[in-house]
Every structure is written in C-alpha cells, then in structure tokens.
Amino acid sequence: MIGTKCRGANNEPPPPFTSAESVWTFVGCFLTLLMLLSFSDAITKRNSELSLVLGPFGALMTLQYSLTAAPASQPRNALLGQTISMAIAIGMSHASHLPTNLRRALGTAIAISCMARVGVIHPPAGAAALIFTGGGYSWEHLGLNLAGNVIAILSATLINDMNNKRQYPTFWGFGYWKKYFCTGNDGKKVE
C-alpha cells in the first residue's frame, strides 16, 4: 500500500505562469523585499543589536506573489503562524540544558504541530522557528518580524490587487475562532 502511495496520485502539476504574470511576481517580490530591507536597515541604525530575521521573508514572497490563493499565504496564517512559531522558538531557545540540535528540532516540530492544530499553517513560520530556536533572538525580534509581516501583507495586497488577474488576500480570517470561543456551555452562540 505504501508503495502505491509513494508513486503519487497522478495529478497534473499546475501550469507555469505566463511571462506577464512572472514579471508581475518579480516586481512584487522586488519592491516588497526592498521595503523590508530598508525597514531592517532603519532598525539596525537605531539599535545595532536588532534587525529583521530575513530568511522567512523569501518564503513569504514566494507565497504572496506566486501562490496568492493558498491558505498558507493568507494574512491570518502569516501573522498567527509567525506569532505561534516565534514565541515557541524563543521559549525553547532558553532550554539550554538540551543539546542544540535536539532543542532546534523539538522547538520547530512543536511550532509546526501547534500551527497545524490551530489551523494556521504557514511554511515561513516553520523556517522562523528553526532559526529562532538557535538562540540569540529576543521578544523584540518577534515584534520586528511581525511588523515586517504586516509590511509584506500590505504591500502584497496593494501590488497583487492592481493586477486584474490576481486577488490577495482571498480571506483575512481573523474572526474565524468566534464560532469556537463565543459559545456558551450549551454550545449555542453567545451574543
């Protein structure tokens, strides 16, 4: 049975972008990364110990400009996934009694499984967890990276929505949990 699954489901891969769509993706990635790099430089000029952790933003650009409809690309997943992952990672980075590789693997696995449980899968947040569990990052870094995500979301919203063939975001989704948390003991909606 596993051998059959490993061969794949025989689905067709998605078609490549047209040249025009590829140029739009390039422009969006380029302009957003310029903004993020400028933001990071401005922060570093004020405090040389702080800057954006830029690695996850390359993955975020891939999602926001190439997979605009994917759930993992949406603002809710980006902001909540990053918050969960970086908070867990910063907490795990203080577990100095654990060997470094174990701490990094454990922190990242916990972060990804928590994102999955809450329903906010965001691959760049998994990358951030791996980076942040290495240590040397503070709560200020978490705040800066969340601010960077807000900048990227606003930029992707404006740039993608100027193109009549794109829509970003497809949902904001921040009210999603009301149906789970705004109910009484009887399961009925509380007003």
Side-chain angles (χ1 to χ4, degrees):
M1 177 142 132
I2 193 165
T4 303
K5 286 184 174 183
C6 289
R7 286 193 295 251
N10 294 322
N11 293 337
E12 291 292 317
F17 278 16
T18 64
S19 294
E21 286 298 305
S22 296
V23 168
W24 201 267
T25 296
F26 168 80
V27 169
C29 291
F30 179 73
L31 292 175
T32 304
L33 286 170
L34 274 179
M35 283 188 265
L36 291 169
L37 290 164
S38 296
F39 175 66
S40 184
D41 289 346
I43 296 299
T44 303
K45 283 181 185 173
R46 296 188 89 169
N47 183 342
S48 63
E49 307 233 342
L50 292 175
S51 68
L52 285 179
V53 178
L54 291 164
F57 287 102
L60 181 59
M61 296 305 98
T62 304
L63 290 171
Q64 289 181 326
Y65 293 104
S66 298
L67 295 169
T68 57
S73 304
Q74 304 310 308
R76 178 190 73 158
N77 290 44
L79 294 174
L80 298 177
Q82 287 286 4
T83 301
I84 289 167
S85 290
M86 289 187 291
I88 290 169
I90 290 171
M92 285 298 296
S93 72
H94 295 291
S96 56
H97 63 283
L98 294 175
T100 302
N101 287 346
L102 177 62
R103 181 179 68 234
R104 293 179 82 189
L106 183 61
T108 304
I110 291 170
I112 292 169
S113 62
C114 285
M115 283 191 294
R117 177 63 183 103
V118 176
V120 292
I121 296 292
H122 186 63
L130 184 59
I131 293 167
F132 275 60
T133 52
Y137 298 101
S138 65
W139 297 107
E140 289 86 2
H141 287 98
L142 184 150
L144 286 174
N145 270 46
L146 287 178
N149 273 272
V150 169
I151 291 168
I153 288 166
L154 294 174
S155 175
T157 299
L158 293 172
I159 293 169
N160 279 315
D161 291 350
M162 284 192 282
N163 183 324
N164 63 2
K165 294 184 179 183
R166 291 178 180 230
Q167 167 75 48
Y168 182 83
T170 57
F171 64 89
W172 288 93
F174 290 106
Y176 174 77
W177 289 285
K178 283 183 185 177
K179 64 183 173 185
Y180 295 109
F181 296 114
C182 296
T183 58
N185 292 335
D186 59 359
K188 294 183 180 174
K189 188 175 181 179
V190 175
E191 298 298 325

